[in-house]
């Protein structure tokens, strides 16, 4: 026979604290003094307290809130994702609360704690540039609170990832540029700790290799992919002894400021240098020449991420769903179109 | 002598509930059954329980979290505001949690409750299109939890508002267009329940009146100010028996899609129709001709809103701060420049 299960009341009695204090302490609630929280944790461990059982009971009282952690809210892509999440969450009676990691793993950790203390029912996450492990999500994972990654994901047996095939997408963009006559191509990207950038770089590289074109590491530029980064890297490219004849940027923001900087320097686009982007932001249809880009279905990704999370909350499916891959589309416009069709 | 002060322990005893349940019930916590919450509220009232005192004690245990409610996260302006808030909040050890009202007062109400249950230390709010009163913020105001409005504000003795002078800004845009020879002008705006749009409309109207030009209500268009709204209203304008010679849009998103639609119809900008926007989004420098617009210092507004809230939380100033007005700038570009300077 198993032992009598340890409850917070047993811990409270042992420590001469109220059950409410023990309950809050176990949830790492900031209202409980740090040293008291430590005493509670230590005693719970000593007595063999089963946190999971407690948590799963607790979690039955839904807050009907979904937490979202994104790197930044300043892109059209992310706004579309959030809009999709909001649509599905609202329809199902959930409210979103959103926080930004501003590309820092430390801030991401703080966000995880804040959203945990806000008692969200689940998390939707796209990772910061410099996050290397996801142990800071253990607070959620250990309690079986569902966590879904989207866009910038991390392989984990408990988590579903929602992505596009970044490798194939970048391969297609590069292949298109080769078909348009590009022979010496540059790539502007971001931190390859993140799947989206490492996969796009891999696609770029393999498309060159498959076309028996040289892959030159000097022509791969790592940046923050901001408007300003686009200007700075384009200036570095313009200072090269030999110019590339194509530049593939890992987002549209950078591609647009790259085009503007090239135009100012008197470069003809696409004749001298073809430029392509990624995401299909509204900007891509406004810049002249219009930008060739990859349509990334952000709204759909947001809807699917929220719907998958809510299905998990409703226990409508098990943990077998590992990865969902959305469709992407190459959108050819003037910025890369050197040959008339 | 005053009576002994009533505590949650007295209420708990009277109702035969735990103090933790009473505490949560008084905070309207969703984990407590509705009928139990009602019983707790009724008993607290009957016993003369001083909620404010309780709240102020409670609130001394800071969550170090600031709640933000915005209409939508899909604009460059709002991304800049949030970025400014994040900067100041992080430096002061606060974390932001953000929610969207998606322009609905019902959703705004839900957000208020969600953020209240997340125990935010204060709120930063820009109101939805259709919000008519702010009684749904009483949950915060009655407990003295600070609430700051920015951009779309509401006059309230307890709240500080952070704005730009929208009236003067719109007056300046319109005056500039008149100086460039516009005589028959249209204005595309949004719901005038919101100060920002009513003030811009007033500035537009008064500038016309002061220049002894007709103000024609048929040429004022109310919309959602989205890209799509810009297309649709421009098509309605193009179908008018007599075209206007100037269009002043209350945001850049709409101005940019207005320009694109006019160009497709073969209209010369600014020669036939001058077009102006509002906000100074990055798009305004990308569209050709470049867009004349009003620089709205979003980042600064966000920084100031967060700093003002944090000062209130630190009791560094009283409630005397009513309104803070930020500087704006008219930015003249080709889309309205008919006369060479």
């Amino acid at each position: 026979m198993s032992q009598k299960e340890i409850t917070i009341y047993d811990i409270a009695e042992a420590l001469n604290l109220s059950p409410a204090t023990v309950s809050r302490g176990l949830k790492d609630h900031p209202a409980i003094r740090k040293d008291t929280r430590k005493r509670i944790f230590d005693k719970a461990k000593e007595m063999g307290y089963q946190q999971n059982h407690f948590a799963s009971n607790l979690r039955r009282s839904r807050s009907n809130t979904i937490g979202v952690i994104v790197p930044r809210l300043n892109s059209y892509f992310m706004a579309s994702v959030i809009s999709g999440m909001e649509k599905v969450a609202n329809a199902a009676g959930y409210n979103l609360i959103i926080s930004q990691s501003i590309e820092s793993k430390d801030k991401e950790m703080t966000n995880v704690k804040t959203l945990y203390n806000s008692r969200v029912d689940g998390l939707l996450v796209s990772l910061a540039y410099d996050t290397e492990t996801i142990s800071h999500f253990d607070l959620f994972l250990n309690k079986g609170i569902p966590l879904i990654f989207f866009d910038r994901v991390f392989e984990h047996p408990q988590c579903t990832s929602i992505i596009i095939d970044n490798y194939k997408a970048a391969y297609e963009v590069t292949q298109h540029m080769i078909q348009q006559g590009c022979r010496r191509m540059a790539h502007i990207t971001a931190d390859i700790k993140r799947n989206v950038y490492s996969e796009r770089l891999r696609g770029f590289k393999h498309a060159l290799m498959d076309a028996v074109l040289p892959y030159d590491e000097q022509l791969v530029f790592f940046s923050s992919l901001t408007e300003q980064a686009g200007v700075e890297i384009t200036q570095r490219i313009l200072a090269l002894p030999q110019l590339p004849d194509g530049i593939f940027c890992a987002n549209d923001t950078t591609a647009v400021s790259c085009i503007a900087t090239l135009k100012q320097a008197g470069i003809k686009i696409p004749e001298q240098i073809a430029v392509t982007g990624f995401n299909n932001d509204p900007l891509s249809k406004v810049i002249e020449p219009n930008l060739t880009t990859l349509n990334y279905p952000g709204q759909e990704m947001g809807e699917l991420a929220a719907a998958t999370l809510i299905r998990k909350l409703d226990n409508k499916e098990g943990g077998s769903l590992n990865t969902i891959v959305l469709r992407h589309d190459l959108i050819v416009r003037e910025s890369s179109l050197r040959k008339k069709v």
Side-chain angles (χ1 to χ4, degrees), chain A:
Chain A
M1 290 293 290
S2 67
Q3 278 190 285
K4 176 185 169 289
E5 195 164 48
I6 300 297
T7 68
I8 54 164
Y9 299 96
D10 303 316
I11 302 168
E13 208 184 316
L15 291 171
N16 200 22
L17 292 171
S18 78
T21 301
V22 172
S23 158
R24 292 175 124 192
L26 286 170
K27 282 183 283 172
D28 219 16
H29 195 293
I32 309 298
R33 286 166 50 134
K34 234 179 188 164
D35 55 342
T36 309
R37 272 183 269 162
K38 191 177 172 335
R39 274 173 57 215
I40 294 168
F41 274 121
D42 291 349
K43 181 58 76 180
K45 205 170 170 187
E46 180 196 319
M47 295 175 76
Y49 171 69
Q50 296 290 321
Q51 197 144 19
N52 278 345
H53 173 72
F54 171 67
S56 72
N57 272 345
L58 225 201
R59 285 291 156 177
R60 243 165 248 154
S61 71
R62 289 272 179 87
S63 67
N64 285 313
T65 305
I66 294 172
V68 183
I69 303 177
V70 299
R72 283 186 198 276
L73 290 162
N74 65 354
S75 67
Y76 174 80
F77 168 70
M78 203 51 89
S80 306
V81 170
I82 300 276
S83 158
M85 290 174 175
E86 196 82 76
K87 186 179 154 197
V88 169
N90 279 332
Y94 287 86
N95 214 22
L96 294 187
I97 54 181
I98 304 159
S99 65
Q100 303 184 102
S101 65
I102 49 172
E103 301 291 6
S104 142
K105 69 165 180 293
D106 292 338
K107 182 81 200 304
E108 194 170 87
M109 281 184 206
T110 309
N111 292 340
V112 170
K113 281 183 204 151
T114 297
L115 293 177
Y116 183 79
N117 290 332
S118 295
R119 300 181 0 93
V120 296
D121 295 330
L123 266 192
L124 303 171
V125 177
S126 179
L127 293 167
Y129 277 152
D130 66 352
T131 299
E132 306 212 22
T133 72
I134 60 160
S135 57
H136 48 302
F137 291 99
D138 283 351
L139 204 56
F140 284 80
L141 295 174
N142 290 345
K143 294 193 167 52
I145 307 170
L147 167 55
I148 310 267
F149 288 112
F150 63 92
D151 185 44
R152 302 196 196 161
V153 305
F154 200 97
E155 285 284 324
H156 188 284
Q158 265 176 271
C159 304
T160 300
S161 288
I162 304 179
I163 51 172
I164 60 166
D165 188 336
N166 285 284
Y167 169 78
K168 193 155 169 276
Y171 189 99
E172 286 167 14
V173 173
T174 312
Q175 196 176 38
H176 157 75
M177 294 176 82
I178 296 168
Q179 283 162 358
Q180 294 296 317
C182 295
R183 290 294 171 266
R184 181 176 154 74
M185 264 186 283
H187 181 40
I188 305 179
T189 189
D191 199 319
I192 55 167
K193 279 201 204 80
R194 295 282 66 81
N195 61 301
V196 293
Y197 305 114
S198 63
E199 288 294 287
R200 288 175 204 175
L201 177 57
R202 212 163 60 82
F204 171 72
K205 189 172 172 177
H206 285 183
L208 292 181
M209 288 165 62
D210 288 350
V212 202
L213 288 173
Y215 167 74
D216 183 352
E217 280 186 1
Q218 310 278 23
L219 291 178
V220 177
F221 299 86
F222 301 94
S223 78
S224 55
L225 290 180
T226 58
E227 192 187 341
Q228 189 51 34
V231 173
E232 285 164 12
I233 291 172
T234 307
Q235 281 163 350
R236 280 167 56 196
I237 291 176
L238 284 167
L240 291 173
Q242 190 195 347
L243 286 182
D245 56 12
I247 304 176
F248 167 32
C249 303
N251 76 8
D252 286 350
T253 306
T254 303
V256 165
S257 70
C258 171
I259 289 181
T261 308
L262 291 175
K263 277 165 76 177
Q264 273 169 19
I267 303 282
K268 285 205 161 51
I269 301 161
E271 294 80 1
Q272 287 174 271
I273 303 182
V275 180
T276 54
F278 207 102
N279 284 348
N280 198 21
D281 288 353
L283 262 178
S284 64
K285 283 178 292 180
V286 173
I287 185 83
E288 295 186 14
N290 284 191
L291 182 67
T292 293
T293 187
L294 205 291
N295 187 50
Y296 194 144
Q299 170 91 18
E300 217 178 318
M301 178 167 276
E303 288 178 16
L304 197 60
T308 306
L309 182 68
I310 291 166
R311 284 177 67 84
K312 286 205 178 189
L313 289 172
D314 293 345
N315 287 317
K316 287 211 180 116
E317 62 201 359
S320 59
L321 209 56
N322 185 44
T323 306
I324 302 173
V325 182
L326 288 179
R327 206 167 53 87
H328 63 260
D329 298 287
L330 175 65
I331 300 188
V332 175
R333 301 203 185 98
E334 294 84 55
S335 73
S336 66
L337 211 56
R338 291 163 148 194
K339 299 182 179 172
K340 301 290 165 214
V341 262

